């Protein structure tokens, strides 16, 4: 009886759905986190009676045929690249991107990672870096005696030095855009890597056409919506239960069969 | 008397297959663009088994799988590359085995900046060609008639195919339909929604009641078969005594 394994695929799919939802809820307060959605597709079909097959010498054919499906599979876990709301923090190195684009981060192994989490700090050399100490590209160093750092909406970094009236330009931030941002590979630590699916990064200045602007003193909250996740969770749980009912029904039918008198 | 057993068996076989189909419907309760299926049955009258009887024996056999192509609920996703068809029609995608049709409008972009489905198959335009987008232009809009435009400039129009007879479609898995030997016409009254997907049109309550009905019917047939056996047993015993 195929129903047993079909229902099992349904239960496995809903289990993955719940796992994805729980990851979203766990990251509800993660800066720059993008919620993920598990997407399903139907599995292969078995042609018990192929449609269009001839049923008589007179040329009559089966009009609809019998195709029996074998369940469901996970097509992809898709990350929804919707803008998260901006939260004011007052920290002068908290940067949020309003619109498209990701910050470029240089990993210790020389690879470039991308992130929407702009809660930056400075390291012991004055370089702007992530909370893990990875430098933000292009490398920007804040002078040690700077009293204030101002980052404009177009990404220009200016430092106010005591004794100088005009602030000094110390760097220019860049943003990378990908055509298929959802195709970026997540590596944890709020970082994403370029993949075959994402395409190559297109680097530009914040505020240019097609790029978002930088908001200093803000961080981008995760775009997880608690109400949506909880409703999805309920739906997933109910779907899981329904599939388990199919297992029970199939089991009951099989047990009826084995108890038949011979 | 043995005919009862075989009639019962024919019913049990169709019930098992009906359960398989209900299981598949419930497994796909969350599959975008999935269309619910049901087993249709037919009576199969045969000649009477014994000479003394004139009533034909009627078995039940499965006749086909009926697919309900009714509209599934349209859910907003706010993803610009999610497209749902409201009303009739199918998106056309190009697979290595030829063109396939789907109601699943969750598209993406491949490395050549072409519009693809989740398997990486090219999504075809109304003219039957691939749709290439410009990665530099960010503002992507898909109008109600399927016209794709970027920054106000028309790029292509999504191909929406229409089948006069939906029963030619066979399911292939991965949300794709095949239409062997049939060329669809272009749908005229296209209505697509950007930023939305069409949910599965499986109605969980209907499937759960089907499930109950199937298990109960199976029990009843089994009961009938065992009563027939009892009848047969007691007949043999009584006739044996008389002799």
């Amino acid at each position: 009886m195929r129903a047993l394994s079909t229902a099992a695929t349904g239960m496995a799919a809903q289990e993955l759905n719940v796992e994805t939802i729980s990851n979203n809820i766990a990251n509800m307060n993660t800066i720059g986190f993008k919620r993920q959605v598990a997407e399903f597709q139907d599995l292969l079909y078995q042609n018990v009676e192929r449609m269009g097959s001839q049923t008589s010498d007179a040329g009559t054919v089966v009009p609809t045929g019998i195709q029996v499906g074998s369940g469901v599979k996970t097509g992809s876990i898709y990350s929804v690249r919707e803008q998260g709301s901006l939260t004011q923090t007052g920290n002068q190195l908290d940067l949020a991107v309003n619109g498209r684009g990701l910050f470029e981060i240089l990993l210790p192994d020389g690879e470039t990672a991308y992130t929407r989490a702009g809660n930056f700090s400075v390291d012991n050399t004055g370089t702007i870096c992530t909370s893990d100490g990875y430098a933000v590209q292009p490398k920007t160093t804040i002078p040690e005696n700077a009293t204030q750092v101002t980052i404009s909406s177009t990404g220009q970094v200016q430092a106010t030095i005591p004794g100088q009236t005009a602030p000094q330009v110390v760097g220019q931030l860049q943003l990378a855009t990908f055509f298929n941002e959802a195709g970026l590979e997540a590596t944890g630590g709020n970082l994403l890597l370029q993949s075959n699916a994402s395409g190559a990064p297109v680097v530009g200045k914040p505020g240019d056409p097609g790029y978002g602007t930088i908001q200093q003193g803000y961080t981008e909250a995760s775009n997880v919506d608690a109400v949506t996740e909880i409703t999805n969770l309920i739906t997933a749980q109910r779907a899981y239960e329904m599939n388990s009912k199919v297992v029970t029904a199939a089991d009951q039918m099989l047990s009826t069969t084995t108890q038949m008198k011979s | 008397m043995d005919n009862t057993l075989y009639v019962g068996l024919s019913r049990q076989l169709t019930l098992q297959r009906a359960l398989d189909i209900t299981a598949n419907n419930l497994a796909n309760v969350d599959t975008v663009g999935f269309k619910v299926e049901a087993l249709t049955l037919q009576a199969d009258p045969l000649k009477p088994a014994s000479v003394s009887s004139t009533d034909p024996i009627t078995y039940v056999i499965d006749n086909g799988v009926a697919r309900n192509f009714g509209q599934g609920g349209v859910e907003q996703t706010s993803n610009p590359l999610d497209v749902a068809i409201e009303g009739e029609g199918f998106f056309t995608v190009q697979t290595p085995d030829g063109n396939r049709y789907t109601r699943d409008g969750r598209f993406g972009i491949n490395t050549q900046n072409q519009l693809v489905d989740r398997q990486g198959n090219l999504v075809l335009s109304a003219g039957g060609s691939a749709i290439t987008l410009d990665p530099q232009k960010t503002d992507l809009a898909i109008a109600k008639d399927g016209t794709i435009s970027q920054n106000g400039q028309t790029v292509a129009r999504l191909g929406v195919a229409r089948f006069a007879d939906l029963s030619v479609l066979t399911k292939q898995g991965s949300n794709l339909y095949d239409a062997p030997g049939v060329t669809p016409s272009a749908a005229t009254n296209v209505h697509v929604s950007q930023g939305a997907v069409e949910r599965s049109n499986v109605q969980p309550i209907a499937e759960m009641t089907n499930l109950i009905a199937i298990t109960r019917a199976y029990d009843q047939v089994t009961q009938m078969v065992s009563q027939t056996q009892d009848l047969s047993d007691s007949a043999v015993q009584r006739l044996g005594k008389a002799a």
Side-chain angles (χ1 to χ4, degrees), chain B residues 39-125:
Chain B
L39 189 68
T40 58
L41 303 172
Q42 70 179 29
D44 187 20
L46 294 174
K47 282 193 191 115
S50 63
V51 194
S52 57
S53 161
T54 50
D55 297 334
I57 302 293
T58 308
Y59 292 99
V60 58
I61 57 167
D62 33 18
N63 164 42
V65 173
R67 210 165 279 145
N68 173 4
F69 278 98
Q71 176 77 38
V74 174
E75 189 189 49
Q76 297 292 324
T77 61
S78 60
N79 182 348
L81 289 175
D82 282 350
V83 195
I85 301 178
E86 290 179 55
E88 62 171 9
F90 295 84
F91 296 115
T92 313
V93 297
Q94 192 179 52
T95 72
D97 307 320
N99 286 0
R100 296 291 182 267
Y101 307 93
T102 184
R103 293 281 293 187
D104 177 0
R106 295 170 302 183
F107 301 138
I109 305 291
N110 67 7
T111 45
Q112 283 96 51
N113 300 326
Q114 290 161 321
L115 195 66
V116 290
D117 72 359
R118 283 285 187 266
Q119 271 81 240
N121 300 319
L122 291 177
V123 178
L124 299 182
S125 70

Side-chain angles (χ1 to χ4, degrees), chain B residues 7-51:
Chain B
V7 170
L9 178 64
S10 76
R11 182 67 183 131
Q12 282 179 318
L13 286 174
T14 55
L15 283 169
Q16 291 204 358
R17 185 154 287 157
L19 179 72
D20 289 345
I21 286 166
T22 303
N24 191 48
N25 288 338
L26 277 173
N28 284 294
V29 76
D30 240 359
T31 303
V32 166
F34 182 82
K35 297 298 171 198
V36 69
E37 294 174 322
L39 189 68
T40 58
L41 303 172
Q42 70 179 29
D44 187 20
L46 294 174
K47 282 193 191 115
S50 63
V51 194

Side-chain angles (χ1 to χ4, degrees), chain A residues 63-231:
Chain A
T64 44
I66 301 172
Q67 281 198 303
V68 184
S70 49
V72 65
K73 67 173 178 191
T74 309
S76 65
I77 293 185
Y78 181 86
S79 122
V80 181
R81 310 300 303 175
E82 223 174 25
Q83 172 83 39
S85 59
L86 302 185
T87 319
Q88 192 168 14
T89 62
N91 185 346
Q92 59 181 8
L93 282 177
D94 276 351
L95 307 177
V97 183
N98 193 359
R100 278 184 92 213
L102 297 111
F103 295 109
E104 294 176 288
I105 311 291
L106 184 71
L107 297 182
D109 60 3
E111 225 180 322
T112 308
Y114 302 89
T115 187
R116 291 281 293 191
N119 49 334
F120 299 135
S121 344
V122 285
D123 65 8
N124 52 6
T125 60
T127 309
I128 299 180
C129 62
T130 67
S131 49
D132 290 326
Y134 305 153
V136 177
Q137 291 301 102
K139 199 172 163 185
T140 309
T141 309
I142 309 286
E144 200 188 347
N145 55 355
T147 53
Q148 203 190 351
V149 179
T150 317
I151 295 161
S152 70
S153 65
T154 55
Q156 197 177 57
V157 187
Q158 294 177 317
T160 311
I161 314 278
Q164 293 180 7
T165 46
Q168 189 189 339
V169 177
V170 292
Q172 169 69 49
L173 293 173
Q174 286 182 343
L175 292 177
T177 58
F178 293 87
F179 204 46
N180 182 18
E181 221 179 278
L184 288 167
E185 184 191 339
T187 57
N190 294 344
L191 299 176
L192 302 161
L193 294 176
Q194 185 189 336
S195 75
N196 253 342
S198 68
V202 184
V203 178
K205 259 172 59 176
D208 281 358
Y211 294 89
T213 55
I214 304 244
Q215 301 277 325
Q216 189 185 15
Y218 286 85
T219 52
E220 184 184 358
S222 81
N223 65 356
V224 177
D225 174 29
V227 180
T228 315
E229 296 305 324
I230 298 296
T231 11

Side-chain angles (χ1 to χ4, degrees), chain B residues 133-209:
Chain B
L133 299 169
D134 186 345
Q136 305 291 344
K137 294 180 185 166
T138 50
D139 184 24
L140 181 108
I142 300 170
K144 291 267 180 224
D145 67 344
T147 306
I148 305 173
S149 56
Q150 282 191 293
N151 292 6
Q153 283 170 312
T154 305
V155 179
R157 200 160 74 84
L158 275 173
V160 179
R162 181 185 175 277
F163 291 89
D165 178 12
L166 288 169
S167 69
V168 300
L169 294 168
T170 58
K171 281 193 179 181
Q172 263 224 317
S174 305
N175 299 347
L176 299 178
Y177 291 93
D178 188 9
V182 179
T183 314
S185 58
T188 45
N189 221 340
V190 184
H191 189 123
V192 302
S193 305
Q194 187 185 13
V197 292
E198 183 188 2
R199 298 244 66 103
S200 157
N201 73 347
V202 175
Q203 287 185 303
I205 295 173
E207 296 305 316
M208 292 311 284
T209 41

